[in-house]
């Protein structure tokens, strides 16, 4: 059994910022990286709204820099996922190893929401269904693809995919985009993107790979031929493992007072507890606050 001052669960923007603050305060933090080291931003293209980068910064570079900075300050990292945890006793089991800690910061982020329609699972990962245009977009050079969703992510992905693809359909269930004006305008003015409003995906079809998508618009059902389908319909907080130990809202976001929880010595930061903003900079801000709170708690 290892003994720690502070275990940070998650290595996205929130976790790494918490690590920078805690390491700088000489707390010798230990980060369990989770199943996607670097978090969601590692799969993002250009980030235009993270302060300090007037020309924007690539998500991979931003997260690599944060990790280097945390490491330089004295953070220790361990790859792997937490399989069991007792928050009150602060006992963590990670890939079979036991760790006891004086404090914990939960920074487990969120994962892409799925449509849960027929064909989605069958064609996911290399067969035409993806949740990451940055990762998979280049496979669809001169092809026709579909992006599903109406938020900033869907608009960003659709716009990004026009770099490679001949045609991009954006399928949205309503008649108005949820995305911010700047992102929406970018999509609306891109001649390669066609928006199909008030349209609901029913079934993903093909043989070895996706060849068409069954859609419903008003009372009309029809097939849309396409080579790839990118889901961008939001995220679900990664809190299942804590759900019976800590208070969460109806969607699974951990309920907090600032970054504190009702469990002494357990703090939370980032998308796993933020249903309102979900920005890189707000996650980083919460990570900083959690690092400071741990320092105060331990002293
Ligand atoms: P989001 O804002 O929650 O949007 C999700 C979209 O998916 C909505 O348009 C929603 O439709 C649709 N949707 C949800 N469930 C669906 C279903 N079952 N079937 C069909 N459509 C469904 O999520 P997001 O776009 O991932 O953005 C999350 C946060 O990150 C936001 O705060 C956003 O501003 C931020 N973000 C910012 C940037 C940027 O600034 N560059 C880029 C990406 C994300 P309805 O509209 O009808 O609800």
């Amino acid at each position: 059994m290892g003994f720690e001052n502070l275990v940070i669960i998650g290595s996205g923007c929130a976790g790494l910022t918490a690590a920078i603050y805690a390491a700088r305060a000489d707390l010798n933090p230990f980060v369990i990286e989770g199943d996607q080291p670097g978090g969601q931003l590692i799969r993002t293209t250009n980030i235009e709204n993270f302060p300090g980068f007037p020309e924007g910064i690539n998500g991979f570079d931003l997260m690599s820099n944060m990790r280097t900075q945390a490491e330089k300050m004295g953070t220790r990292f361990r790859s792997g996922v937490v399989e069991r945890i007792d928050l009150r006793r602060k006992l963590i089991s990670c890939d079979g190893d036991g760790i006891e800690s004086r404090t914990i910061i939960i920074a487990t982020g969120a994962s892409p929401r799925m449509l849960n329609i027929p064909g989605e699972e069958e064609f996911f990962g290399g067969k035409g269904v993806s949740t990451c245009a940055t990762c998979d977009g280049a496979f669809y050079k001169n092809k026709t693809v579909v992006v599903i969703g109406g938020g900033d992510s869907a608009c960003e992905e659709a716009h990004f995919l026009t770099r490679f693809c001949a045609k991009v359909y954006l399928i949205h269930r309503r008649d108005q985009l949820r995305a911010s004006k700047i992102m929406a305008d970018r999509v609306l003015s891109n001649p390669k993107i066609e928006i199909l409003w008030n349209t609901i995906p029913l079934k993903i079809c093909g043989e070895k790979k996706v060849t068409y998508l069954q859609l419903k618009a008003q009372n009309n059902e029809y097939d849309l031929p396409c080579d790839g389908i990118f889901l961008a319909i939001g995220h679900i907080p990664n809190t299942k493992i804590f759900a019976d130990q800590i208070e969460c809202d109806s969607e699974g976001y951990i309920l907090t007072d600032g970054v504190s929880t009702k469990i002494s010595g357990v703090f939370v930061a980032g998308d796993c507890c933020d249903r309102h903003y979900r920005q890189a900079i707000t996650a980083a801000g919460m990570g900083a606050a959690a690092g400071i709170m741990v320092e105060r708690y331990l002293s």
Side-chain angles (χ1 to χ4, degrees):
M1 171 85 71
F3 292 91
E4 299 290 342
N5 255 340
L6 165 62
V7 170
I8 299 170
I9 307 171
S11 58
C13 235
L16 291 182
T17 309
I20 290 168
Y21 272 72
R24 198 158 175 269
D26 240 357
L27 299 180
N28 196 23
F30 185 68
V31 173
I32 299 174
E33 290 186 296
D35 56 9
Q36 190 172 307
Q40 290 176 62
L41 284 186
I42 207 92
R43 306 165 86 184
T44 308
T45 46
N46 200 30
I47 301 165
E48 292 173 337
N49 51 9
F50 200 92
F53 301 95
E55 305 306 323
I57 181 163
N58 178 287
F60 182 86
D61 293 342
L62 180 65
M63 297 321 294
S64 303
N65 288 348
M66 278 195 199
R67 193 187 194 283
T68 305
Q69 195 172 351
E71 205 163 20
K72 206 169 143 190
M73 300 275 177
T75 304
R76 292 160 302 129
F77 289 88
R78 168 187 176 138
S79 59
V81 293
V82 171
E83 60 226 345
R84 273 191 317 281
I85 189 160
D86 181 334
L87 286 176
R88 283 188 194 282
R89 293 165 67 202
K90 298 179 190 58
L91 296 174
I92 299 158
S93 168
C94 175
D95 294 339
D97 295 333
I99 304 163
E100 185 174 354
S101 187
R102 294 172 71 199
T103 58
I104 291 173
I105 295 177
I106 300 172
T108 45
S111 296
R113 177 177 282 127
M114 305 302 282
L115 283 167
N116 298 319
I117 59 170
E120 183 180 53
E121 212 177 296
E122 182 186 342
F123 293 108
F124 189 81
K127 294 184 194 158
V129 178
S130 168
T131 53
C132 178
T134 320
C135 321
D136 301 329
F139 298 127
Y140 296 91
K141 208 162 180 211
N142 298 323
K143 304 267 187 192
T144 297
V145 298
V146 162
V147 176
I148 297 165
D152 279 328
S153 299
C155 289
E156 189 171 76
E157 303 242 311
H159 185 72
F160 175 76
L161 285 164
T162 59
R163 285 193 203 174
F164 314 99
C165 304
K167 171 94 187 176
V168 177
Y169 290 99
L170 182 68
I171 295 180
H172 186 34
R173 62 184 178 183
R174 290 190 294 133
D175 61 358
Q176 212 175 7
L177 293 172
R178 175 180 293 279
S180 56
K181 190 172 178 318
I182 184 171
M183 302 297 280
D185 285 349
R186 225 172 258 180
V187 160
L188 291 165
S189 64
N190 189 322
K192 276 191 176 179
I193 301 175
E194 184 179 339
I195 306 183
L196 305 180
W197 303 101
N198 298 309
T199 301
I200 293 168
L202 297 178
K203 188 176 176 186
I204 297 168
C205 308
E207 288 194 5
K208 282 185 182 151
K209 288 192 171 186
V210 168
T211 52
Y212 67 98
L213 176 62
Q214 268 183 20
L215 295 170
K216 186 177 176 192
Q218 274 102 31
N219 290 324
N220 178 26
E221 284 184 23
Y222 66 101
D223 297 339
L224 180 72
C226 60
D227 305 292
I229 296 170
F230 290 85
L231 308 176
I233 56 168
H235 289 83
I236 296 173
N238 296 324
T239 55
K240 224 174 177 174
I241 195 169
F242 316 107
D244 55 347
Q245 303 180 48
I246 202 161
E247 234 182 316
C248 295
D249 72 7
S250 58
E251 285 183 50
Y253 291 94
I254 296 172
L255 295 175
T256 59
D257 173 11
V259 292
S260 301
T261 69
K262 287 188 178 152
I263 307 175
S264 162
V266 175
F267 302 88
V268 190
D271 283 11
C272 62
C273 63
D274 173 17
R275 60 176 300 142
H276 297 294
Y277 306 111
R278 293 174 291 171
Q279 302 296 302
I281 191 62
T282 50
M286 291 170 90
I292 291 169
M293 291 304 284
V294 166
E295 187 197 356
R296 289 185 186 163
Y297 176 87
L298 288 175
S299 61

